[in-house]
């Protein structure tokens, strides 16, 4: 069972996270990332974090919400994989789309620390590969008609071409003169993962 967001330590973490996102403060964001695993280990080792909706009473800044959701889904896939639903896979895809649009379109993108950027791109590719596997299993094993219909209706979700568009856009925009530092690192890490043999194999899973 998930802990309530009103637990003082959880509340403090979320408030720091939200303020760091609003302030675009690199050092505070680094502290948030360092503390996330500690709070997770203490309170959410075997349960999910509260949803972004449950946290809305504490923070509802759009940039905070999409980054919090990235934490939320990453934790689900890492610690509670057997409970991840098809709908959550769809929601995570939508959230990554919003994150990349922010970094590609915002004149002042959030200055995330490098380790956060790397882990986020790595998780994006992992969830893409996982969805490919999930979709393949759905074809050869018995699934409910409703679930199969949902997969067929969401053909643009975790689509190889779109995944490559995002990664290549990050590489292209990150290499431009005057690119923001965080965009440079997003582009650099995307290049590393695109040209790593294991990642390349994952991207050819469909």
């Amino acid at each position: 069972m998930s802990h309530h967001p009103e637990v003082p330590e959880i509340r403090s973490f979320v408030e720091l996270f939200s303020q760091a996102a609003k302030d675009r403060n690199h050092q505070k964001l680094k502290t948030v990332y360092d503390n996330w695993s500690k709070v997770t280990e203490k309170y959410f080792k075997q349960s999910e974090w509260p949803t972004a909706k449950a946290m809305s009473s504490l923070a509802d800044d759009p940039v905070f919400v999409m980054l919090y959701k990235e934490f939320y889904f990453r934790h689900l896939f890492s610690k509670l994989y057997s409970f991840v639903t098809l709908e959550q896979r769809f929601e995570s895809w939508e959230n990554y789309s919003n994150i990349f649009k922010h970094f590609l379109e915002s004149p002042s993108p959030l200055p995330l620390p490098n380790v956060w950027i790397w882990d986020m791109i790595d998780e994006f590719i992992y969830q893409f590969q996982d969805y490919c596997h999930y979709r393949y299993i759905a074809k050869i094993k018995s699934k409910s008609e409703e679930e199969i219909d949902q997969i067929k209706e969401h053909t643009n979700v975790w689509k190889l071409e779109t995944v490559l568009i995002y990664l290549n856009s990050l590489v292209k925009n990150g290499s431009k003169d005057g690119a923001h530092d965080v965009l440079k690192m997003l582009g650099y890490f995307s290049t590393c993962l695109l040209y790593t043999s294991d990642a390349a194999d994952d991207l050819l899973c469909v």
Side-chain angles (χ1 to χ4, degrees), residues 11 17-18 49 68 75 86 96 107 112 127-128 141 151 158 186 189 203:
R11 182 186 182 94
F17 191 170
S18 176
W49 274 78
Y68 179 83
H75 175 62
L86 179 58
Y96 273 119
L112 298 181
Q127 288 191 30
F128 163 71
K141 289 189 175 181
I151 293 173
W158 294 109
L186 279 162
F189 290 144
L203 289 171

Side-chain angles (χ1 to χ4, degrees), residues 93 121-130 132 135 158-168 189-206:
W93 166 256
I121 296 292
D122 186 54
E123 180 70 14
F124 173 68
I125 291 179
Y126 162 70
Q127 288 191 30
F128 163 71
Q129 191 273 340
D130 175 77
C132 291
R135 187 172 54 196
W158 294 109
K159 186 177 181 180
L160 174 61
E161 290 82 358
T162 309
V163 168
L164 291 174
I165 285 172
Y166 280 134
L167 294 175
N168 284 309
F189 290 144
S190 294
T191 300
C192 291
L193 287 169
L194 278 169
Y195 291 99
T196 298
S197 59
D198 290 344
D201 289 342
D202 288 345
L203 289 171
L204 293 174
C205 69
V206 290

Side-chain angles (χ1 to χ4, degrees), residues 16 24 27 67 78 81 100 102 104 112 118 120 154 173 175-176:
L16 173 64
R24 301 293 199 270
Q27 189 56 48
L67 290 175
S78 174
Y81 181 81
F100 294 143
H102 163 78
L104 289 167
L112 298 181
W118 170 266
M120 184 172 65
H154 292 78
N173 284 271
S175 64
K176 290 180 178 178

Side-chain angles (χ1 to χ4, degrees), residues 11-204:
R11 182 186 182 94
S12 296
F13 173 81
V14 172
E15 290 175 343
L16 173 64
F17 191 170
S18 176
Q19 195 60 50
K22 287 180 180 179
D23 294 345
R24 301 293 199 270
N25 187 295
H26 174 82
Q27 189 56 48
K28 286 182 180 179
L29 287 166
K30 186 177 185 304
T31 299
V32 166
Y33 201 70
D34 290 342
N35 287 344
W36 174 57
S37 59
K38 298 174 184 177
V39 177
T40 297
E41 183 69 16
K42 185 174 181 179
Y43 293 103
F44 306 106
K45 192 173 183 179
Q46 296 180 325
S47 65
E48 63 184 279
W49 274 78
T51 64
K53 185 176 181 180
M55 290 295 193
S56 62
S57 62
L58 300 180
D60 59 0
D61 175 74
V63 176
F64 159 78
V65 169
M66 67 184 184
L67 290 175
Y68 179 83
K69 284 183 177 180
E70 202 272 329
F71 275 3
Y72 174 84
F73 289 121
R74 198 196 309 178
H75 175 62
L76 278 183
F77 275 85
S78 174
K79 303 297 184 181
L80 302 163
Y81 181 81
S82 62
F83 297 101
V84 179
T85 67
L86 179 58
E87 183 63 31
Q88 287 170 330
R89 286 176 165 87
F90 294 160
E91 290 175 6
S92 186
W93 166 256
E94 181 181 4
N95 192 58
Y96 273 119
S97 296
N98 290 334
I99 288 174
F100 294 143
K101 287 175 183 176
H102 163 78
F103 285 109
L104 289 167
E105 298 173 5
S106 173
S108 179
L110 208 62
L112 298 181
N114 290 346
V115 64
W116 191 339
I117 296 171
W118 170 266
D119 289 344
M120 184 172 65
I121 296 292
D122 186 54
E123 180 70 14
F124 173 68
I125 291 179
Y126 162 70
Q127 288 191 30
F128 163 71
Q129 191 273 340
D130 175 77
Y131 186 78
C132 291
H133 178 72
Y134 182 91
R135 187 172 54 196
Y136 173 74
I137 294 299
K139 291 179 181 178
I140 64 174
K141 289 189 175 181
S142 178
K143 293 280 186 180
S144 68
E145 289 186 14
E146 180 181 359
E147 191 168 8
I148 293 173
D149 287 343
Q150 281 186 301
I151 293 173
K152 290 179 179 178
E153 289 170 6
H154 292 78
T155 56
N156 290 324
V157 170
W158 294 109
K159 186 177 181 180
L160 174 61
E161 290 82 358
T162 309
V163 168
L164 291 174
I165 285 172
Y166 280 134
L167 294 175
N168 284 309
S169 293
L170 291 171
V171 171
K172 180 180 179 180
N173 284 271
S175 64
K176 290 180 178 178
D177 290 338
H180 193 284
D181 286 346
V182 70
L183 194 53
K184 290 179 181 178
M185 295 312 299
L186 279 162
Y188 174 71
F189 290 144
S190 294
T191 300
C192 291
L193 287 169
L194 278 169
Y195 291 99
T196 298
S197 59
D198 290 344
D201 289 342
D202 288 345
L203 289 171
L204 293 174

